[in-house]
């Protein structure tokens, strides 16, 4: 049975999205503490998030960013969201600005390693997309909206979104 190129592309994007979640999970983390959470959205979930992005964007100083990114999310075949739960990792390194992890936690500050681990996880994920020639772009607006909507759960406090696209021209390149 013949399969159209478009059908093959759609299947490939979802396959790569799954591999990206694996890459985020297996990325190195401070002290091996895994606070990373990921999900894949497509179709109705993607559209719902895009609508929320536009709504939230109207309440910010940069509504055009949220509108522009919402349009990119709509055009993408799939969307990955990767986030992190917060909590000191017990290194007492002072990178958070406090003398030790206990003071960091008591102050409500964020452990610097949580953000670093998220960055490494996202970097690992986008490298998978790149290796499979799937266009992508890391978007804070997707992450911000997903946090407000609790898409990754109550505990996840920092997130980034990665829309994925396969087309003749990268839809994330010439954005206005």
């Amino acid at each position: 049975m013949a399969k159209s190129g478009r059908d093959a592309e759609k299947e490939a994007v979802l396959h790569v999205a799954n591999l990206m979640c694996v890459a985020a999970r297996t990325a190195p983390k401070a002290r091996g503490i895994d606070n990373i959470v990921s999900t894949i959205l497509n179709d109705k979930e993607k559209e719902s998030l895009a609508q929320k992005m536009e709504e939230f964007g109207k309440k910010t100083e940069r509504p055009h960013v949220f509108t522009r990114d919402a349009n990119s999310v709509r055009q993408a075949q799939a969307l990955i969201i990767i986030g992190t739960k917060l909590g000191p990792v017990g290194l007492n390194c002072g990178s958070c600005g406090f003398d030790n992890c206990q003071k960091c936690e008591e102050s409500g500050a964020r452990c610097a390693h949580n953000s670093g681990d998220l960055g490494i996880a996202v970097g690992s994920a986008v490298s998978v997309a790149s290796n499979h020639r799937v266009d992508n772009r890391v978007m804070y607006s997707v992450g911000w909206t997903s946090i407000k909507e609790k898409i990754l759960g109550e505990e996840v406090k920092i997130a980034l979104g990665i829309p994925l696209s396969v087309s003749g021209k990268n839809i994330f390149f010439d954005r206005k």
Side-chain angles (χ1 to χ4, degrees):
M1 178 173 102
K3 180 188 292 190
S4 74
R6 296 276 187 233
D7 287 343
E9 291 164 5
K10 185 175 182 177
E11 286 178 29
V13 167
L14 291 175
H15 176 70
V16 169
N18 286 315
L19 294 175
M20 291 171 71
C21 289
V22 169
R25 170 69 58 229
T26 61
K29 296 162 189 81
R31 293 197 62 222
I33 298 171
D34 187 4
N35 288 318
I36 299 297
V37 178
S38 64
T39 193
I40 301 168
L41 304 182
N42 54 27
D43 302 326
K44 291 179 184 174
E45 296 91 4
K46 204 168 49 78
E47 176 57 32
S48 176
L49 180 75
Q51 289 174 6
K52 290 294 183 182
M53 288 172 67
E54 290 172 334
E55 288 174 29
F56 287 134
K58 291 175 184 172
K59 301 172 187 175
T60 71
E61 294 178 16
R62 300 183 65 190
H64 65 284
V65 170
F66 283 80
T67 300
R68 178 200 63 204
D69 291 354
N71 287 331
S72 290
V73 165
R74 284 187 176 100
Q75 292 178 59
Q77 285 101 336
L79 173 68
I80 307 284
I81 303 171
I82 303 173
T84 186
K85 300 172 191 174
L86 299 181
V89 296
L91 290 173
N92 293 321
C93 66
S95 294
C96 60
F98 293 90
D99 293 335
N100 57 51
C101 292
Q102 182 180 349
K103 288 181 182 177
C104 175
E105 194 164 28
E106 288 169 357
S107 74
R110 294 180 175 180
C111 175
H113 295 286
N114 298 148
S115 297
D117 289 350
L118 176 60
I120 294 167
V122 167
S124 293
V126 299
S127 72
V128 168
S130 177
N131 288 341
H132 288 88
R133 309 306 180 258
V134 174
D135 295 332
N136 64 89
R137 185 162 190 132
V138 177
M139 296 182 177
Y140 81 89
S141 57
V142 171
W144 190 86
T145 305
S146 70
I147 294 299
K148 297 290 184 190
E149 289 295 296
K150 299 178 182 11
I151 290 173
L152 296 175
E154 295 275 339
E155 292 183 89
V156 175
K157 302 298 183 191
I158 309 171
L160 294 167
I162 311 165
L164 305 174
S165 172
V166 172
S167 62
K169 183 176 184 320
N170 185 336
I171 64 172
F172 309 119
F173 187 71
D174 293 328
R175 303 176 325 142
K176 295 183 171 62

